[in-house]
Amino acid sequence: MSDLLARLEAQGIVQSVDAALGRLLATKATTNGEMIGLAAALASAALAEGHSCVPLSELRAFAIARAGDDAGAASPLVRGLPAIDELRRALLDCDLVSGDGAAHTALVLDAEDRLYLRRYYCYERTVAAAIGARAQSTPPAIDAASVEAALDRYFTAQRDTDQVAAVRLALRSRFVIISGGPGAGKTSTVLRLLAILIEQALAAGERAPRIALAAPTGKAAARLAESLRAPGLPADDAVRAALPVDAKTLHRLLGVTRGRTGARYHARPLPYDVVVVDEASMLDLALAARLADALAADARLILLGDRDQLAAVETGRVFGALCQAASASTPPAPSTSLAAAAFSRRKVPDEQAAFAFPPTMVANASALSATFVELRGNHRFGAHSAIGRLASALRVGRADMALHILDAGGDEARRIDVGASVLLQRIVRELVPRYAGLAQAPDANAAFAIADRFRALCALRETAFGAVAINAAIEYELRRRSDRIDANGWYAGRLVIVGGNDYRLGLFNGDIGVAVCSGAGGALEVWFRNADGSLRALPPLVLGAVDAAYALTVHKAQGSEFDEVTVMLPERDARVLTRELVYTAVTRARKKVELWTSGEVLTQAIARSTQRWSGLAEAVDSAVSRIGS
């Protein structure tokens, strides 16, 4: 069996770190050491694919998939894997394996035959416990009449919508999930919800709730803060003064700093009554567990995101798993969600009736389903626009519809079959001119306005159609045309992305900067947006790792939007190409999207949906049931 582990490592099915863990546990197990080591190595390898666990029934298929295109060569190796029953018996008999993680064992095999490294099992249970407690707890009483009056002010003609349903739901629960596509009104809904919460507290003679806005990345946090600063909210000065004015990355909110394994807010809770997390689809399991640990016992948690977007690069698909579990347990209803159906009545004089679910709908609904609202509207592009129809086709996996929309000849959404032989010419002819104006921008505001109009998005980082190669081609041409390049390769109009968190400078992974020359003969400065929307400049030499940002991977582009987008898929199909990736890329565009891909590759991508093995949904259901019983 140890021979098999070595061969799996040589084949790349497990990496060196996975194999090292397997060998370590094999030496520590008192029985079935080799089999335990093999299982541990595969469970560790699953983390690299974003899974928090691996079902025993999927081990063989997982090993073949990890072998990539050379599955035939992997077959003799995976045939050597033990039978599921044999492996299960070995795990159950081993002192390094427990069924619930309570014994501090290295591995956990749960009742559903899911094998975990114990840390990730505990992450899931931490998140589940926090959600379960909030789903069942009752927030402070509200004045139904004043809430109805506030809804009249804040929503006017949009009174009977999912947005109103979301506000009503969040007022009666300490936990709520609000999902919706781009332009569905998630942040505007939350802004009005926060205003009503503040109004309720002030009217009762209490202090305004302390509110934290956060997102997984600096770019997403900045966009959240920008959205919530939008004018036109019909609130008085006291309410406006209590509303948050900026947002933080989750790492900053939790006090996670370089060189520390823990977080500042762990043993002591965050000093907030309400925590709003935007772009929650990017929330990985470890970060979600840290957040759950840090919340005050009576704090509200509001998750905003798009269930159809890409999951986090790291382990776990927290938002997607919660949305799937909540919507799967929601009974059929004429409206778009349980909450919307429950709260579609305009005026209800009795407070109990206004903020309770209809009895006929409660019978088959879990508490998790009663925390979920899906917003169906779209204010960025109309549902009947080409981008809107394309997004809908991608969401449901209809490649035929997507190709029909793209190939219909419209300018708003179209597809071009671009081969590697003509890629460079197209980059020079069509992409480089979109960035040429950056060099002539008179100031940082003008430069960012140009940068926000267009972006090239790549499915992969490497390969000829990857972000690295596309950036290199664009940057080479821009440097060639520049009349001033400093000794370190900086030039006016250079667009860059920060590659890691720099707490000293207040820069975070994903932050975008642009180099601007301060007047004739002036020094180059690299400007960045702060979370409050203001701009600040830094000398290029103080920056750490930065990359060109003319082409971003789709993962890096999450939380962003641009007027126009060009999406580049590789010439050959790859496992990372999924409908969620294409959907996320397409919906970054406000006005126009162009896909450089063959119909065959696009069809294969749309047919493939992201799969993340997890027990989170079941853990939440169990936590809710346990608390409610």
Side-chain angles (χ1 to χ4, degrees):
M1 196 71 69
S2 58
D3 228 16
L4 177 60
L5 182 55
R7 284 183 287 151
L8 291 176
E9 181 182 5
Q11 188 76 25
I13 295 173
V14 301
Q15 299 301 308
S16 297
V17 65
D18 309 319
L21 173 65
R23 293 187 182 100
L24 174 65
L25 295 187
T27 62
K28 291 186 174 295
T30 55
T31 58
N32 302 305
E34 291 186 346
M35 228 182 300
I36 300 303
L38 183 66
L42 287 169
S44 177
L47 301 178
E49 300 285 340
H51 307 294
S52 57
C53 59
V54 57
L56 297 188
S57 60
E58 299 288 348
L59 273 178
R60 192 176 304 276
F62 173 67
I64 292 174
R66 288 280 291 177
D69 292 335
D70 197 16
S75 294
L77 301 182
V78 299
R79 276 201 298 269
L81 291 174
I84 293 174
D85 289 344
E86 182 185 6
L87 181 57
R88 184 188 300 110
R89 284 194 297 272
L91 290 166
L92 291 174
D93 289 343
C94 181
D95 55 351
L96 298 180
V97 184
S98 67
D100 59 6
H104 297 277
T105 55
L107 301 173
V108 174
L109 181 66
D110 74 5
E112 302 300 322
D113 263 2
R114 289 181 290 240
L115 181 65
Y116 292 82
L117 300 188
R118 180 178 178 274
R119 174 187 297 180
Y120 291 89
Y121 179 87
C122 292
Y123 284 158
E124 286 190 354
R125 268 56 195 174
T126 297
V127 174
I131 291 174
R134 283 165 179 79
Q136 290 286 10
S137 68
T138 304
I142 60 171
D143 183 330
S146 64
V147 167
E148 293 300 329
L151 291 173
D152 279 335
R153 290 199 320 275
Y154 290 131
F155 289 94
T156 59
Q158 300 173 331
R159 193 65 166 74
D160 296 323
T161 64
D162 286 334
Q163 294 184 21
V164 174
V167 172
R168 290 183 184 278
L169 177 62
L171 289 171
R172 64 176 294 280
S173 176
R174 294 192 190 275
F175 175 70
V176 66
I177 307 165
I178 302 177
S179 178
K186 297 185 292 293
T187 52
S188 64
T189 298
V190 166
L191 175 59
R192 286 154 176 77
L193 164 64
L194 297 179
I196 293 174
L197 286 172
I198 293 168
E199 286 179 0
Q200 289 282 303
L202 296 179
E206 302 170 356
R207 64 165 173 80
R210 296 162 297 183
I211 301 167
L213 305 178
T217 67
K219 179 167 61 230
R223 287 207 59 81
L224 173 61
E226 179 185 349
S227 299
L228 294 180
R229 288 193 300 271
L233 185 72
D236 61 31
D237 291 343
V239 173
R240 288 181 180 279
L243 284 168
V245 296
D246 64 358
K248 299 178 180 179
T249 65
L250 277 167
H251 285 86
R252 286 186 64 195
L253 178 73
L254 298 173
V256 179
T257 56
R258 182 185 298 172
R260 292 176 57 183
T261 56
R264 180 183 178 191
Y265 293 101
H266 173 68
R268 60 193 181 101
L270 287 163
Y272 298 107
D273 306 299
V274 182
V275 176
V276 179
V277 180
D278 194 19
E279 297 293 344
S281 62
M282 290 190 276
L283 188 60
D284 66 87
L285 182 58
L287 192 56
R290 279 180 165 174
L291 175 62
D293 259 342
L295 290 172
D298 58 351
R300 296 175 188 261
L301 176 60
I302 302 169
L303 300 182
L304 309 178
D306 185 347
R307 63 186 296 181
D308 298 303
Q309 276 195 32
L310 279 169
V313 176
E314 295 83 6
T315 299
R317 185 172 176 254
V318 175
F319 191 76
L322 294 176
C323 288
Q324 183 177 356
S327 57
S329 57
T330 300
S335 190
T336 55
S337 68
L338 178 62
F343 297 130
S344 62
R345 298 183 300 276
R346 174 168 165 72
K347 295 282 187 181
V348 183
D350 179 73
E351 180 176 344
Q352 290 293 330
F355 293 92
F357 291 106
T360 55
M361 299 186 67
V362 175
N364 298 318
S366 74
L368 187 59
S369 70
T371 66
F372 175 71
V373 177
E374 185 157 20
L375 306 183
R376 300 287 189 176
N378 192 314
H379 305 290
R380 182 185 297 179
F381 37 75
H384 298 293
S385 70
I387 297 179
R389 289 183 290 116
L390 177 59
S392 296
L394 294 170
R395 188 182 295 115
V396 297
R398 287 291 302 275
D400 56 339
M401 290 173 57
L403 286 170
H404 175 74
I405 294 164
L406 289 167
D407 297 341
D411 192 49
E412 183 184 345
R414 64 175 181 168
R415 180 183 67 87
I416 301 174
D417 201 337
V418 177
S421 61
V422 298
L423 178 60
L424 183 58
Q425 297 94 307
R426 278 198 171 270
I427 290 172
V428 173
R429 185 173 72 245
E430 299 180 26
L431 302 189
V432 171
R434 310 300 294 269
Y435 298 112
L438 289 169
Q440 284 75 48
D443 54 42
N445 278 312
F448 275 113
I450 294 170
D452 287 345
R453 291 175 196 159
F454 174 79
R455 200 58 50 92
L457 302 182
C458 302
L460 304 174
R461 177 173 168 78
E462 306 297 337
T463 77
F465 286 80
V468 172
I470 302 300
N471 273 317
I474 294 173
E475 192 151 42
Y476 173 84
E477 190 64 22
L478 291 176
R479 278 202 177 105
R480 190 181 68 80
R481 299 180 184 187
S482 178
D483 55 7
R484 178 185 171 190
I485 304 176
D486 72 14
N488 296 293
W490 284 89
Y491 53 91
R494 189 183 183 198
L495 194 64
V496 297
I497 184 169
V498 176
N501 296 335
D502 190 328
Y503 296 93
R504 175 179 56 92
L505 296 177
L507 294 177
F508 299 91
N509 185 20
D511 284 353
I512 298 291
V514 62
V516 177
C517 186
S518 56
L524 282 173
E525 296 176 310
V526 186
W527 289 79
F528 294 90
R529 284 192 181 111
N530 295 318
D532 63 1
S534 62
L535 299 174
R536 64 187 174 114
L538 293 170
L541 289 179
V542 306
L543 299 178
V546 295
D547 295 310
Y550 307 105
L552 300 176
T553 62
V554 179
H555 274 100
K556 288 285 189 182
Q558 280 187 273
S560 300
E561 58 182 64
F562 309 96
D563 287 344
E564 301 181 13
V565 162
T566 293
V567 181
M568 301 180 181
L569 303 186
E571 283 192 294
R572 297 179 59 192
D573 185 36
R575 283 194 300 136
V576 299
L577 301 183
T578 63
R579 75 181 62 150
E580 290 86 0
L581 182 141
V582 180
Y583 169 85
T584 302
V586 164
T587 54
R588 298 313 88 204
R590 300 185 191 98
K591 300 177 181 178
K592 181 179 178 180
V593 64
E594 187 172 274
L595 278 75
W596 289 9
T597 180
S598 69
E600 180 183 1
V601 168
L602 182 59
T603 297
Q604 291 169 322
I606 296 172
R608 184 183 295 112
S609 184
T610 301
Q611 182 185 34
R612 293 278 178 96
W613 293 317
S614 163
L616 179 60
E618 292 87 341
V620 172
D621 277 340
S622 175
V624 170
S625 301
R626 191 163 52 248
I627 293 168
S629 60

